[in-house]
Amino acid sequence: MATKADKKNAIRQEIIDAAFIYSKQLAGKTFLYVYGKEYFEVSFPTDHFLHLTGVKTNISAKDFYKNAKKGKLTNNQFYFDMQHPYANARKKLPCLKRLPELTNEMVCILKDMQTVTIVYKLSLTNLEFTLGLTENLNNEGKKVNDFFLPRSLRVEDSSIEKSGAGEIIDFIFAKDASKSLYDTILVKDTGKEIPDNIKRLLDCQLLREEI
């Protein structure tokens, strides 16, 4: 039977594995989601990784991510409490490792998903797990830019029931955060055309290839 130390070691390894995936496939990139004529952009800051793990830490969110990415996170640097129980982290972490699926596979957009503490204006789901997104605000509550950021990873079947409306995504585009225009298409509904109002956000070469 697994001891407490065994269980914590397993969680630590899951966090390290998830951080490696996050660093390779999400951090430093931005993603453009298009449904109908509506769209929004998502980025994955490194200091938001901690929010998604389901654990608490006694170090900064940036240091937590950095240590996990380098495989140097120790068992003393994270813990569980009533708001962050072991069972919750154990359930979340396998989905956190699969988070890139929400950027490169067909997903559903949920609007106004309600939780106990917050209403998420937008969320992404593949019907197995849901990523709650929040606007990029500074400490004074002012909008920094138009990007949405990951805030909560929920592994439950009731997210859709707790949301106001849902839409199937038509397109997902990606780019390095350092670039101004999206140059990669990750998901497209072949029965749909790229709406005119987002073409200004796309690289000319990509547009030529898709027309």
Side-chain angles (χ1 to χ4, degrees):
M1 190 172 184
T3 65
K4 282 187 176 181
D6 292 335
K7 290 179 178 179
K8 196 163 191 185
N9 282 333
I11 291 293
R12 173 184 168 275
Q13 189 58 52
E14 291 263 45
I15 293 171
I16 288 171
D17 292 345
F20 180 79
I21 293 168
Y22 194 96
S23 71
K24 293 297 182 183
Q25 300 188 49
L26 300 174
K29 297 181 180 180
T30 58
F31 300 87
L32 172 64
Y33 291 80
V34 181
Y35 55 107
K37 292 186 178 180
E38 295 187 71
Y39 67 91
F40 61 92
E41 297 173 272
V42 179
S43 69
F44 290 85
T46 56
D47 59 355
H48 278 239
F49 175 78
L50 171 63
H51 289 304
L52 311 177
T53 62
V55 304
K56 286 283 284 183
T57 186
N58 47 22
I59 59 178
S60 72
K62 286 187 177 180
D63 285 342
F64 180 89
Y65 171 78
K66 182 172 67 176
N67 290 354
K69 186 180 69 168
K70 293 181 177 179
K72 295 181 177 180
L73 187 72
T74 69
N75 285 2
N76 293 330
Q77 291 174 333
F78 68 94
Y79 59 94
F80 312 105
D81 60 16
M82 287 188 68
Q83 284 75 41
H84 303 80
Y86 162 77
N88 204 26
R90 186 184 178 194
K91 185 171 62 172
K92 284 187 175 189
L93 285 165
C95 296
L96 181 52
K97 290 191 290 186
R98 294 173 55 195
L99 197 58
E101 293 177 23
L102 299 185
T103 67
N104 58 31
E105 296 183 10
M106 195 67 73
V107 293
C108 183
I109 304 302
L110 302 179
K111 295 184 177 181
D112 301 321
M113 181 180 73
Q114 297 186 21
T115 69
V116 174
T117 56
I118 191 172
V119 175
Y120 291 95
K121 186 176 179 180
L122 292 172
S123 302
L124 298 169
T125 185
N126 62 1
L127 305 184
E128 292 184 59
F129 54 90
T130 302
L131 183 66
L133 304 171
T134 54
E135 293 181 294
N136 188 8
L137 307 177
N138 63 20
N139 292 334
E140 298 174 351
K142 295 180 181 179
K143 186 182 285 191
V144 176
N145 54 36
D146 290 330
F147 289 151
F148 282 82
L149 309 179
R151 171 69 181 270
S152 176
L153 183 61
R154 309 185 68 81
V155 187
E156 56 181 37
D157 296 328
S158 58
S159 295
I160 292 178
E161 286 79 5
K162 293 177 181 177
S163 303
E167 301 273 356
I168 300 296
I169 210 71
D170 296 329
F171 300 92
I172 304 175
F173 300 92
K175 68 179 179 69
D176 286 336
S178 60
K179 294 182 178 180
S180 58
L181 297 174
Y182 288 89
D183 55 12
T184 304
I185 186 164
L186 298 175
V187 174
K188 64 177 178 179
D189 182 336
T190 55
K192 302 286 180 67
E193 293 187 1
I194 297 173
D196 290 337
N197 63 320
I198 71 145
K199 289 181 179 178
R200 62 184 174 81
L201 302 173
L202 306 180
D203 182 85
C204 292
Q205 179 65 31
L206 177 65
L207 274 174
R208 283 195 293 268
E209 290 172 358
E210 291 302 317
I211 292 175

